[in-house]
């Protein structure tokens, strides 16, 4: 039996990488999915893969008006929601002295404000027993040179899972963080870092993580499926770290 048969999900940032892999996994398990992205071309390219099971919606998560319009569209298409995966995010790395206000604001607007208001605007459509997943990162309890702003956004996202789990519990809605380690996606092309720095970090992870490799988007999608399905029915406010052991060893 399909694990998400008859369910309906919203995945923000479903055009590439982890979000797209999760949409594929959810559809394969019988779920109808709305994916969002802010880039029209990537959204159209992702949606081409499906016929009716996946509906693409153009949304910039920095815009509350866009998120309100998304809620209206979700209501029209699905009525209500079983699964919300607030996944859209980006990482900008920069030395302390080079972080300007625009970099800081944009990073927090996408990763923190975007996640918070995605959950707020969609909360009214969540069914009793729904699952909310917020995409944090294995680095949410860590620090690193040039990563101060990005890492802080992910600490905030992990924190949201704790408080929102408490707030939505009376409706039997579970809220968990999903924290990937380093996963090869287009995320690495947008980091604002020279290629040798990106490769250097990847090599460091591969040398230190017990599994000695980077993750695949499908492996994060498998974990998202677990959190989305009833198989994780006793989990809320938790952080599911999927990082090849990097953070713990
Ligand atoms: N890859 C990793 O190593 C890693 C590790 C830990 C955590 N994560 C987290 O995983 C999530 C997904 O990352 P990924 O690796 O799959 O990267 P990705 O392939 O670059 O995907 C990012 C997604 O977010 C969307 N997005 C970015 N800015 C947006 C905005 N302003 N409004 C709406 N959508 C926006 C992108 O849409 P467009 O295509 O329209 O731009 C895209 O669909 C992020 O939250 C990231 O922080 C990734």
């Amino acid at each position: 039996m399909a694990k998400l048969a008859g369910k309906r999900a919203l995945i923000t940032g479903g055009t590439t990488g982890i979000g797209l892999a999760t949409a594929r996994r959810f559809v394969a398990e019988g779920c109808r999915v709305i994916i969002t992205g802010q880039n029209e071309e990537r959204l159209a390219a992702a949606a081409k893969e499906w016929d009716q099971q996946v509906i693409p919606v153009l949304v910039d998560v920095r815009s509350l008006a866009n998120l309100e319009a998304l809620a209206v569209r979700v209501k029209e298409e699905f009525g209500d929601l079983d699964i919300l995966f607030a996944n859209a995010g980006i990482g900008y790395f920069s030395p302390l002295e080079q972080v300007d206000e625009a970099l800081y604001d944009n990073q927090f607007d996408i990763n923190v404000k975007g996640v918070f208001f995605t959950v707020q605007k969609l909360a009214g459509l969540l069914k009793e027993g729904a699952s909310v997943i917020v995409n944090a990162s294995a680095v949410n309890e860590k620090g690193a040179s040039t990563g101060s702003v990005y890492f802080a956004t992910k600490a905030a996202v992990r924190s949201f899972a704790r408080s929102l789990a408490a707030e939505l519990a009376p409706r039997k809605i579970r809220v968990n963080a999903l924290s990937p380690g380093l996963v090869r996606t287009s995320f690495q092309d947008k980091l604002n870092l020279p290629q040798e720095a990106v490769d250097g970090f990847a090599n460091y992870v591969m040398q230190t993580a017990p599994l000695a490799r980077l993750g695949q988007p499908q492996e994060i999608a498998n974990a998202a499926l677990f959190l989305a399905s009833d198989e994780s029915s006793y989990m809320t406010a938790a952080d599911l770290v999927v990082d090849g052991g990097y953070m713990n060893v």
Side-chain angles (χ1 to χ4, degrees), residues 81-220:
L81 272 179
D82 301 280
I83 301 155
L84 169 58
F85 185 21
N87 164 72
I90 198 156
Y92 298 129
F93 286 70
S94 182
L96 173 63
E97 63 280 6
Q98 287 170 28
V99 174
D100 59 18
E101 194 175 2
L103 182 148
Y104 182 94
D105 284 348
N106 200 34
Q107 184 70 112
F108 268 81
D109 283 355
I110 297 172
N111 289 9
V112 182
K113 180 178 158 190
V115 167
F116 182 82
F117 285 102
T118 295
V119 179
Q120 188 204 58
K121 300 297 176 196
L122 274 301
L125 297 182
L126 293 169
K127 285 165 77 167
E128 182 171 307
S131 171
V132 177
I133 307 162
V134 292
N135 198 337
S137 167
V139 301
N140 76 61
E141 290 189 12
K142 199 173 159 56
S145 176
T146 77
S148 52
V149 181
Y150 175 68
F151 285 24
T153 67
K154 292 306 187 176
V157 172
R158 194 277 170 259
S159 173
F160 287 157
R162 298 181 201 274
S163 301
L164 296 174
E167 200 156 338
L168 296 174
R171 294 169 56 199
K172 300 189 171 38
I173 295 167
R174 301 182 294 111
V175 185
N176 290 291
L178 174 57
S179 282
L182 194 55
V183 178
R184 188 73 81 192
T185 66
S186 54
F187 183 84
Q188 281 85 35
D189 306 328
K190 307 171 189 165
L191 292 173
N192 198 34
L193 284 175
Q195 192 56 45
E196 55 269 26
V198 177
D199 294 342
F201 183 60
N203 287 333
Y204 175 72
V205 170
M206 287 190 278
Q207 281 160 19
T208 50
L211 295 186
R213 64 174 175 83
L214 303 191
Q216 298 292 328
Q218 298 86 325
E219 294 176 297
I220 310 304

